[in-house]
Amino acid sequence: KQEVTQIPAALSVPEGENLVLNCSFTDSAIYNLQWFRQDPGKGLTSLLLIQSSQREQTSGRLNASLDKSSGRSTLYIAASQPGDSATYLCAVLSNDYKLSFGAGTTVTVRA
Amino acid sequence: DADVTQTPRNRITKTGKRIMLECSQTKGHDRMYWYRQDPGLGLRLIYYSFDVKDINKGEISDGYSVSRQAQAKFSLSLESAIPNQTALYFCATSVGDIQYFGAGTRLSVL
């Protein structure tokens, strides 16, 4: 069974600082890994998707890396802003098309 | 993007009541999913369906049932609600490797 762990569970930084969010998974047989953003009481918004054959993906201030062999992914958010405050979820898609989620990292960016 | 609509958005019910959560999507995706989210536990898969005739249990299906009435509709039922089913419920559809989520239904069982 795929287990996904996110560390830290919560993070508070001053505006402008770079954010580093970590995700680890136990089974390296994955199709892809996806990072989502969730605002309080809201649904999930997909931020980045990395295919198993890729090492990283970038979108604006966001960069996600994937090391499939070691079961790790890192989401970097450059020059954080208060609007980046949210919970960030990591999810891996396994070969049976099931998505396994981590518990999330709750980010607070202080103005 | 897929338009995934969940109804109701919020629901309060009593222990022992039967309740149905509904999900519809407008893009004709074959795959649909139901998840629940509890604080500190992330999302967990309840049921999933890869087409109208295909229904599969996820990791926490006990106490739940589903119905795929059409390609666009996937309903989740709690036959006899209990307090530990209080959670945020999400429906999702997928095309290719990407899943698209509804806004969620917040359910409270008293």
Side-chain angles (χ1 to χ4, degrees):
Chain A
K1 179 191 172 193
Q2 181 76 266
E3 301 284 347
V4 182
T5 303
Q6 291 187 246
I7 295 173
L11 187 59
S12 179
V13 299
E15 183 176 3
E17 197 165 294
N18 296 333
L19 289 163
V20 181
L21 309 180
N22 297 299
C23 172
S24 62
F25 48 95
T26 54
D27 185 352
S28 61
I30 65 170
Y31 271 130
N32 62 44
L33 183 143
Q34 202 164 356
W35 284 94
F36 292 89
R37 170 182 171 138
Q38 184 178 26
D39 292 291
K42 305 288 187 180
L44 279 64
T45 301
S46 180
L47 297 174
L48 289 168
L49 182 145
I50 312 175
Q51 299 293 351
S52 61
S53 59
Q54 296 176 314
R55 298 285 292 184
E56 65 177 339
Q57 276 287 347
T58 298
S59 177
R61 294 184 294 112
L62 277 60
N63 174 274
S65 65
L66 174 64
D67 184 342
K68 195 175 75 164
S69 61
S70 67
R72 295 179 183 176
S73 176
T74 301
L75 177 66
Y76 301 91
I77 303 177
S80 62
Q81 303 168 358
D84 294 328
S85 297
T87 297
Y88 293 82
L89 297 167
C90 166
V92 296
L93 185 67
S94 300
N95 293 346
D96 56 2
Y97 283 98
K98 292 181 185 176
L99 206 57
S100 299
F101 284 84
T105 295
T106 298
V107 171
T108 302
V109 180
R110 307 186 303 273
Chain B
D1 285 350
D3 186 7
V4 184
T5 303
Q6 292 185 233
T7 56
R9 292 294 316 281
N10 293 279
R11 181 71 183 266
I12 299 173
T13 191
K14 295 182 178 179
T15 298
K17 293 291 188 182
R18 184 179 189 275
I19 185 169
M20 179 182 287
L21 309 183
E22 299 188 352
C23 177
S24 63
Q25 49 107 353
T26 59
K27 290 296 184 180
H29 298 160
D30 287 328
R31 300 187 194 131
M32 299 188 74
Y33 307 80
W34 274 105
Y35 296 89
R36 68 175 277 175
Q37 185 179 30
D38 298 277
L41 291 180
L43 276 73
R44 291 180 293 166
L45 183 63
I46 306 172
Y47 270 95
Y48 61 103
S49 170
F50 284 173
D51 64 43
V52 174
K53 296 181 180 180
D54 175 73
I55 302 289
N56 302 282
K57 294 181 178 180
E59 61 179 297
I60 53 162
S61 59
D62 288 348
Y64 301 95
S65 63
V66 291
S67 173
R68 186 80 184 265
Q69 301 95 323
Q71 186 187 42
K73 295 182 182 290
F74 192 37
S75 300
L76 176 72
S77 294
L78 286 69
E79 298 301 326
S80 179
I82 57 176
N84 76 1
Q85 291 177 314
T86 293
L88 185 56
Y89 289 84
F90 287 104
C91 175
T93 71
S94 71
V95 57
D97 296 338
I98 300 175
Q99 293 201 6
Y100 299 89
F101 287 79
T105 294
R106 186 168 296 280
L107 176 67
S108 297
V109 183
L110 305 179

